[in-house]
Amino acid sequence: MSILGALRRVTGGAAEVDLTIGEAKRGSKAKVTVDVHVGSAAVKAKRIYVRLQATETVDIPRFSVPAPVGQSGGSQTVRVQESETVVSQEFLIAEGQEIPAGSTQQFTAEIDIPSTGLPTLIGKIIAVKWQALAGLDVAWSTDPSSGWKEITVT
């Protein structure tokens, strides 16, 4: 194996992972498709998974704060930024997969979109963003993944 091949294997480059998500509604199931494209060496995946995450963010660029008690002067303006992950789930799509070198395999499943998170929203000072990631759990390597993909949840 070449040095570049070894590096790709250690850093998760042994496979490319693509994720497609169908219509995502809170309190319903969404169809997910995970496509795995394997390079020149077979990949043994302990499991194939999808992670789902929702984050609420507030960003107030000019928030007026009164001066502390005992200090003269009116108020000062500060920027207020806060972010919190309100949904974080992982779904098992498949277990114990050996994917041959040079092949592409597709895995489909349904995942539950929880009703607890707010729908996707992008406002002037608040945002609710949903993201999903598909990955392979492989031994002795960084898990190949699709990277986080923003999705719209209604």
Side-chain angles (χ1 to χ4, degrees):
M1 176 185 301
S2 71
I3 293 175
L4 183 57
L7 179 63
R8 281 193 180 129
R9 195 151 182 79
V10 169
T11 60
E16 289 183 20
V17 180
D18 294 318
L19 172 65
T20 306
I21 297 185
E23 183 179 15
K25 288 184 172 182
R26 294 178 309 131
S28 298
K29 293 187 179 292
K31 180 181 176 185
V32 296
T33 303
V34 179
D35 291 307
V36 180
H37 313 282
V38 176
S40 59
V43 171
K44 288 184 181 181
K46 290 185 259 183
R47 61 194 182 95
I48 298 170
Y49 58 87
V50 169
R51 291 185 179 144
L52 180 68
Q53 176 175 295
T55 305
E56 293 179 7
T57 303
V58 63
D59 184 1
I60 305 171
R62 291 182 302 274
F63 183 74
S64 182
V65 179
V69 175
Q71 286 189 359
S72 61
S75 62
Q76 66 180 29
T77 301
V78 297
R79 181 175 203 151
V80 176
Q81 292 178 301
E82 187 64 37
S83 210
E84 183 171 338
T85 299
V86 294
V87 172
S88 183
Q89 294 181 313
E90 184 173 285
F91 301 92
L92 179 65
I93 306 302
E95 287 185 283
Q97 299 293 315
E98 183 162 350
I99 306 169
S103 70
T104 297
Q105 288 195 9
Q106 189 173 79
F107 302 87
T108 58
E110 288 187 330
I111 63 171
D112 293 313
I113 307 297
S115 58
T116 54
L118 294 171
T120 300
L121 167 70
I122 307 297
K124 286 186 176 188
I125 61 171
I126 62 169
V128 178
K129 291 185 180 178
W130 289 78
Q131 297 179 307
L133 171 145
L136 309 179
D137 184 1
V138 295
W140 304 103
S141 176
T142 300
D143 290 355
S145 79
S146 63
W148 287 104
K149 309 230 182 230
E150 281 197 29
I151 62 172
T152 299
V153 173
T154 57

